């Protein structure tokens, strides 16, 4: 029996109140529903890992200079304090902890959209030379945060509340500004230990807020307290510079610059209406009157442009809004609102029917969902991948994988490079026991998606069923490595190494990979030990 026990990769559902006044939110946004609390062990594990890695990168005694009104690019002076390679290492360590804690949202469509969307900003001159990886957090608060190394987290609440793609782009551009100017490295140079805790607090807030907004506020407050005095002044300069660079990126990428001002103004209004529950983004990115004035002035100086939102953005946003509250009461409320908006033509009919299909699927109402899918099919472009994947998911929930396969084959023939369709198709092939087809599909997809832990796990399942034990162990090793479970990953490769099925090339490949995993494990242990000294 192969030791390739599956590791759960789907994060627990969670929700806390959208911390924005109801008058400022779209009508479809549901109210709060209580969900299981994030465990303290998850919080402790992420905290320990982040502190260990961050504290292991000591600064070289840099004394920051005062910042003038010209707002120099602060990142230029930080190069010797924390190398880009070290920043990437920190970010990768945090990502492993978040995967292991189940904090990342398992929504392939949303993650793919975010990464394709941010590519437009990353292609601008202001962001040249940097790579970014975006990930979604299943959290109804309005927040986004940047990690070292170009990793950017986006809460579903932020995406759902954005009134346009340009508003979403304005937040992402601001976070990219922090990354490109290496503000984290600069802050570590200023005060290494307190900033390590501040970086940690941002991610802990993303975890804690999923169960308890008060706990999240406490975590953020802890980090913010450590930034008082000299660190606070530096942070304001960094925020203003991120604003400036963000506006540059928006304009260079063809988005509406005024969207940054409008989004921040809505957050500021929400903060005034409910100071005790200010949006998390306001607490982690302090918005001063001076900053708002600077943003408005820069927007007024630029040429106004209007940009239409993509259909994909509209579909994803309405799906998130309609299903943020997945309780029976929340889904019923979303359905009532959507049906009223549809009858009053307050929402595009194609978008409304798609959202109703998503609500029906969550509510496990087969007949309602089928009707909504058929209505949406008449209005959306032929075989739209979002709708067809939803139709396939309906068949899979009814244990009809062959019908799901028919839907997916037709959809992938039109959209062969849609990752969400590929994911669902792979699951469908595994359910049907078509191991060879599943292996070929996943192998091909992993050429471009090597950081997809679920794909490695599904590949191992197919290979094990085909009797390819060595390859199955190797795939599970990659799965565990992405979770940061180094001893288990190494064990899987050692099991693969003992197989007599391997060709010389495969054996050599496993030897090389085993050395890489051992080196990564050793480096992480050294980082942890250095952080504890």
């Amino acid at each position: 029996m192969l030791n390739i026990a599956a590791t759960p990769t789907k994060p627990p559902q969670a929700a806390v109140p959208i911390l924005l006044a109801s008058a400022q939110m779209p009508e479809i946004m549901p109210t709060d529903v209580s969900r299981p609390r994030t465990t303290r062990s998850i919080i402790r594990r992420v905290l320990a890992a982040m502190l260990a890695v961050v504290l292991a990168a000591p600064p070289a005694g840099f004394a920051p200079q005062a910042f003038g009104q010209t707002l120099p690019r602060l990142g230029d002076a930080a190069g010797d304090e924390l190398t880009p390679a070290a920043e990437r290492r920190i970010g990768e360590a945090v990502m492993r902890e978040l995967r292991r804690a189940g904090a990342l949202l398992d929504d392939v469509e949303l993650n793919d959209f975010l990464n394709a969307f941010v590519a437009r900003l990353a292609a601008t001159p202001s962001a040249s030379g940097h790579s970014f990886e975006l990930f979604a957090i299943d959290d109804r608060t309005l927040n986004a945060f940047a990690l070292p190394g170009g990793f950017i987290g986006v809460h579903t609440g932020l995406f759902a509340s954005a009134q346009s793609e340009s508003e979403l782009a304005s937040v992402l551009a601001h976070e990219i500004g922090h990354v490109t100017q290496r503000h984290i490295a600069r802050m570590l140079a200023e005060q290494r230990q307190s900033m390590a805790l501040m970086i940690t607090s941002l991610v802990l807030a993303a975890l804690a807020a999923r169960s308890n907004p008060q706990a999240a506020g406490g975590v953020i407050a802890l980090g913010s307290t450590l930034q008082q005095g000299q660190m606070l002044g530096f942070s304001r300069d960094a925020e203003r510079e991120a604003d400036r660079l963000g506006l540059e990126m928006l304009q260079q990428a063809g988005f509406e610059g005024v969207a940054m001002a409008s989004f921040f103004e809505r957050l500021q209004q929400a903060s005034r209406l409910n100071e005790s529950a200010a949006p998390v983004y306001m607490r982690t990115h302090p918005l001063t009157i001076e900053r708002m004035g600077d943003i408005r002035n820069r927007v007024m100086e630029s040429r106004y442009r209007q940009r239409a939102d993509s259909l994909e953005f509209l579909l994803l946003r309405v799906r998130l809004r309609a299903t943020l509250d997945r309780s029976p009461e929340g889904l019923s409320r979303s359905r009532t609102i959507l049906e009223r908006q549809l009858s009053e033509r307050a929402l595009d009919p194609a978008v409304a029917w798609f959202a109703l299909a998503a609500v029906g699927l969550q509510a496990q109402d087969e007949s309602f969902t089928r009707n909504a899918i058929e209505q949406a099919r008449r209005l959306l472009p032929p075989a739209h991948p979002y709708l067809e994947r939803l139709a396939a998911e309906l068949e899979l929930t009814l244990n009809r994988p062959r019908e799901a396969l028919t839907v997916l084959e037709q959809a992938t023939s039109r959209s062969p490079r849609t990752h969400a369709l590929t994911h669902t198709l792979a699951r469908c092939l595994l359910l049907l026991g078509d191991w060879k087809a599943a292996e070929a599909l996943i192998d091909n997809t992993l050429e471009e998606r090597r950081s997809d832990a679920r794909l490695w796990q599904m590949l191992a399942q197919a290979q094990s069923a085909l009797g390819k034990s060595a390859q199955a162990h190797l795939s599970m090793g990659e799965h565990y490595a992405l979770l940061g479970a180094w001893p288990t990953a190494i064990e899987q490769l050692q099991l693969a190494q003992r197989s007599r099925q391997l060709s010389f090339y495969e054996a050599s490949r496993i030897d090389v990979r085993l050395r890489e995993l051992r080196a990564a494990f050793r480096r992480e242990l050294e980082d942890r030990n250095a952080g504890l000294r």
Side-chain angles (χ1 to χ4, degrees), residues 160-200:
S161 69
Q163 293 186 355
S164 67
E165 278 189 316
S166 291
E167 280 198 358
L168 176 64
S170 72
V171 177
L172 299 184
H174 179 95
E175 298 305 324
I176 290 173
H178 284 307
V179 174
T180 60
Q181 295 309 292
R182 307 193 60 222
H183 289 153
I184 294 174
R186 182 79 175 199
M187 289 175 181
L188 282 169
E190 174 70 10
Q191 195 168 342
R192 177 164 61 113
Q193 286 195 344
S194 67
M195 270 316 301
L197 286 170
M198 186 60 194
I199 295 168
T200 304

Side-chain angles (χ1 to χ4, degrees), residues 138-151:
D138 188 10
D139 192 309
R140 293 177 60 191
T141 54
L142 276 76
N143 201 16
F145 54 92
L147 297 175
F151 299 95

Side-chain angles (χ1 to χ4, degrees), residues 404-420:
L405 180 63
T406 301
V407 173
L408 291 165
E409 287 178 338
Q410 293 173 353
T412 53
S413 67
R414 286 179 174 267
S415 307
R417 298 182 63 82
T418 303
H419 188 42

Side-chain angles (χ1 to χ4, degrees), residues 87-97 99 148-149 151 482 523:
E87 281 190 86
R88 185 72 183 181
R89 221 170 90 208
I90 293 170
E92 288 173 348
V94 176
M95 290 300 294
R96 285 194 295 269
E97 288 297 327
R99 286 192 198 100
F151 299 95
L482 286 167
R523 186 167 59 240

Side-chain angles (χ1 to χ4, degrees), residues 439-458:
E439 181 190 34
L441 175 68
I442 299 169
D443 247 337
N444 184 57
T445 307
L446 280 169
E447 291 180 9
E448 298 179 359
R449 306 275 182 168
R450 298 193 67 81
S451 63
D452 191 324
R454 284 183 62 213
L455 280 181
W456 285 110
Q457 190 177 38
M458 288 193 286

